[in-house]
Amino acid sequence: MPTSIDSLTAEIRAFRDARDWKQFHSPKELAVAITAEAGELLQHFVWQSPEQSELRVRDRKEALSSEMADIAILLFEMADNCGIDLALAIRTKLARNEERYPVDKARGSNKKYNEL
Amino acid sequence: MPTSIDSLTAEIRAFRDARDWKQFHSPKELAVAITAEAGELLQHFVWQSPEQSELRVRDRKEALSSEMADIAILLFEMADNCGIDLALAIRTKLARNEERYPVDKARGSNKKYNEL
Amino acid sequence: MPTSIDSLTAEIRAFRDARDWKQFHSPKELAVAITAEAGELLQHFVWQSPEQSELRVRDRKEALSSEMADIAILLFEMADNCGIDLALAIRTKLARNEERYPVDKARGSNKKYNEL
Amino acid sequence: MPTSIDSLTAEIRAFRDARDWKQFHSPKELAVAITAEAGELLQHFVWQSPEQSELRVRDRKEALSSEMADIAILLFEMADNCGIDLALAIRTKLARNEERYPVDKARGSNKKYNEL
């Protein structure tokens, strides 16, 4: 399937290895880069209201798409380097959140699980 | 395919909608949450050398896996809400980086494209 | 004056040097630590509305005070290590922002200077 | 004293109030802005070694000075809005860290207090 995390990760790995960049990509450096890219994504929304942020998505779709791709590329590579199956990790987390946030208690609430 | 971004996104959407949480998940709030989760991931590596960070992955694999899942879940939902095809965005970015970082110039270098 | 940046920086430097920690505190590592601590501060407000965030300050004043101190300690040390006079840097930035955000155009607006 | 946190905070407050910006500066929004600015500071050091980061400070002193000022301005305003005495918070944190990191155990170590 073209959109599987595995096939995208293989493309990311090929890109990196053609440039011999694995030497710079320790888990720490990847976490640093992910956080810096998350900061760039956030920068688009500073001081904006949630409603204004919807408009911003319409106006800056390409830029936001590019920031989000940066985070995804680094995250997929990091999971791969760490021997973590990201799809499995996502499903494990969703299952844990099913327990932490039971529908009847969490519905319509923005509280954290330890405050519900 | 079980690991496609699309099928995982459908699971994330179902989780969110069962709790009626879309009202809290504007693009801005998702960017805020992604950045906060990236900060949690980074926290594991503060003051560590790149080499120490490899060991840390071995010792804290489950915790790191959980932090990375948090980022992925939020990122997949954000792309979905913004009408962005994340797999396409990743491939578009890789293609752009192929141009920005030609193999013969970028090989073995940690410089940014505008410094190569 | 007890609250001058200089005297606080001297205390921070003494704390660090007693532990021989300068070896770990390159500009990069300090920037990493500042960002990780900013993420911890932000964590308190994820999914909260601006109004809820006011209440949170009342409920978690000590914790927030501690997170903000962490950022300040690292920032003051980083400025010191980089040979940057932070008080001067603040005043230089305020003067630049006076030009970028003239009162008559910026009053009551949350737009960036390049959008005014 | 010209470099006291209090006098700088008064200048920051005057700048903000002349523009009627307090309405946008809830604790949450200030934490968001601080994190986004920390991300900008971090961006300068992504993929760099600690040693390279020293050189970068020499080459980009003005830009780094401006990023650090942004963080300080927002942090001083946030402390002020939250009724937190930042100088006191810094000293309280240093005192707590004196206990968490006793000199004889912490000297020359980059371990966290709960790992010492």
Side-chain angles (χ1 to χ4, degrees):
Chain A
M1 253 300 273
T3 63
S4 85
I5 293 179
D6 283 356
S7 61
L8 289 163
T9 302
E11 293 172 40
I12 292 163
R13 215 189 295 122
F15 179 89
R16 177 199 67 200
D17 290 341
R19 284 153 190 81
D20 195 19
W21 281 355
K22 189 146 197 279
Q23 60 184 309
F24 306 118
H25 291 198
S26 69
K28 174 174 184 160
E29 295 308 316
L30 287 165
V32 167
I34 288 167
T35 312
E37 294 300 338
E40 280 197 22
L41 180 66
L42 186 58
Q43 201 72 47
H44 290 274
F45 302 112
V46 174
W47 309 126
Q48 301 283 299
S49 70
E51 294 71 35
Q52 287 175 312
S53 82
E54 306 275 4
L55 290 175
R56 193 138 277 196
V57 169
R58 241 171 294 170
D59 294 346
R60 302 189 181 178
K61 200 158 181 178
E62 209 175 344
L64 290 169
S65 177
S66 167
E67 314 285 19
M68 292 168 72
D70 281 332
I71 299 173
I73 288 168
L74 294 159
L75 192 65
F76 289 8
E77 184 189 343
M78 186 172 177
D80 187 47
N81 290 4
C82 295
I84 287 168
D85 177 337
L86 192 57
L88 179 62
I90 289 171
R91 290 198 168 116
T92 304
K93 193 62 183 260
L94 286 175
R96 198 170 154 206
N97 281 344
E98 288 279 356
E99 283 172 38
R100 281 178 164 178
Y101 297 95
V103 168
D104 60 325
K105 285 177 96 179
R107 197 171 171 82
S109 161
N110 65 353
K111 287 189 184 159
K112 271 212 147 179
Y113 64 92
N114 49 14
E115 299 168 336
L116 279 177
Chain B
M1 255 299 273
T3 64
S4 84
I5 292 178
D6 283 354
S7 61
L8 289 163
T9 302
E11 294 173 40
I12 293 162
R13 213 188 296 125
F15 179 90
R16 177 199 68 200
D17 290 340
R19 285 154 189 81
D20 194 19
W21 280 355
K22 191 149 196 278
Q23 58 182 311
F24 306 119
H25 290 198
S26 70
K28 173 172 185 163
E29 294 308 315
L30 288 164
V32 167
I34 287 168
T35 312
E37 294 299 337
E40 279 198 23
L41 180 67
L42 186 59
Q43 201 72 45
H44 291 273
F45 302 113
V46 173
W47 309 126
Q48 301 284 298
S49 70
E51 295 71 34
Q52 288 175 311
S53 81
E54 306 275 4
L55 290 174
R56 194 137 276 198
V57 169
R58 242 172 292 170
D59 294 346
R60 303 189 180 178
K61 200 160 179 176
E62 210 176 342
L64 290 168
S65 179
S66 167
E67 315 285 19
M68 292 167 72
D70 281 332
I71 300 172
I73 289 168
L74 293 159
L75 192 65
F76 290 8
E77 184 189 342
M78 186 172 177
D80 187 47
N81 290 4
C82 296
I84 288 168
D85 178 336
L86 191 58
L88 179 63
I90 289 172
R91 288 197 170 117
T92 303
K93 192 61 182 260
L94 286 174
R96 196 170 155 207
N97 282 344
E98 286 282 354
E99 283 172 38
R100 281 178 164 180
Y101 296 95
V103 168
D104 60 325
K105 286 178 96 177
R107 199 173 169 80
S109 162
N110 65 354
K111 287 189 185 158
K112 272 213 146 177
Y113 65 93
N114 50 13
E115 298 168 335
L116 279 176
Chain C
M1 253 300 273
T3 63
S4 86
I5 292 179
D6 283 354
S7 62
L8 289 163
T9 302
E11 293 172 40
I12 293 163
R13 214 190 293 125
F15 179 90
R16 176 200 67 199
D17 290 341
R19 284 154 189 81
D20 195 20
W21 281 355
K22 189 148 197 280
Q23 59 182 312
F24 306 119
H25 291 196
S26 69
K28 173 173 184 162
E29 295 308 316
L30 288 164
V32 167
I34 287 167
T35 311
E37 294 299 338
E40 280 198 21
L41 179 66
L42 186 59
Q43 201 74 46
H44 291 273
F45 302 113
V46 173
W47 309 126
Q48 301 284 297
S49 70
E51 295 70 36
Q52 287 175 312
S53 82
E54 306 275 3
L55 289 175
R56 193 136 277 197
V57 169
R58 243 173 292 170
D59 294 345
R60 302 189 180 179
K61 200 160 180 177
E62 210 177 342
L64 290 168
S65 178
S66 167
E67 315 285 19
M68 291 167 74
D70 281 332
I71 299 172
I73 288 169
L74 293 159
L75 191 65
F76 289 8
E77 185 190 341
M78 186 172 177
D80 188 47
N81 290 5
C82 296
I84 288 168
D85 178 336
L86 192 57
L88 179 62
I90 289 171
R91 290 199 168 115
T92 304
K93 193 61 184 260
L94 285 175
R96 197 171 154 205
N97 282 343
E98 287 280 356
E99 283 173 37
R100 281 177 164 178
Y101 297 94
V103 168
D104 60 325
K105 285 177 96 177
R107 198 173 170 79
S109 160
N110 65 354
K111 287 189 184 161
K112 273 214 145 178
Y113 65 92
N114 50 15
E115 298 168 336
L116 279 177
Chain D
M1 253 300 273
T3 64
S4 85
I5 292 179
D6 283 355
S7 61
L8 289 163
T9 302
E11 294 173 39
I12 293 162
R13 213 189 296 125
F15 179 90
R16 177 200 67 201
D17 289 341
R19 284 154 189 82
D20 194 19
W21 281 356
K22 192 150 196 279
Q23 58 183 311
F24 306 119
H25 291 198
S26 70
K28 173 172 185 164
E29 294 308 315
L30 288 165
V32 167
I34 287 168
T35 311
E37 294 299 336
E40 279 197 22
L41 180 66
L42 186 59
Q43 200 74 45
H44 290 274
F45 303 113
V46 173
W47 310 125
Q48 301 283 297
S49 70
E51 295 71 35
Q52 287 175 312
S53 82
E54 305 276 4
L55 289 174
R56 194 137 275 198
V57 169
R58 242 172 294 169
D59 294 345
R60 302 189 181 178
K61 201 160 179 176
E62 210 177 342
L64 291 168
S65 178
S66 166
E67 315 285 20
M68 292 167 72
D70 281 332
I71 299 172
I73 288 169
L74 293 159
L75 192 64
F76 289 7
E77 184 189 343
M78 185 172 178
D80 187 47
N81 289 4
C82 296
I84 288 168
D85 178 336
L86 192 57
L88 179 62
I90 289 171
R91 289 196 170 116
T92 304
K93 192 63 182 258
L94 286 174
R96 196 170 156 207
N97 282 344
E98 287 282 354
E99 283 173 36
R100 280 178 164 177
Y101 297 95
V103 168
D104 60 325
K105 285 178 96 177
R107 199 175 170 79
S109 162
N110 66 353
K111 287 188 183 160
K112 273 213 147 177
Y113 65 93
N114 49 14
E115 299 168 335
L116 279 176

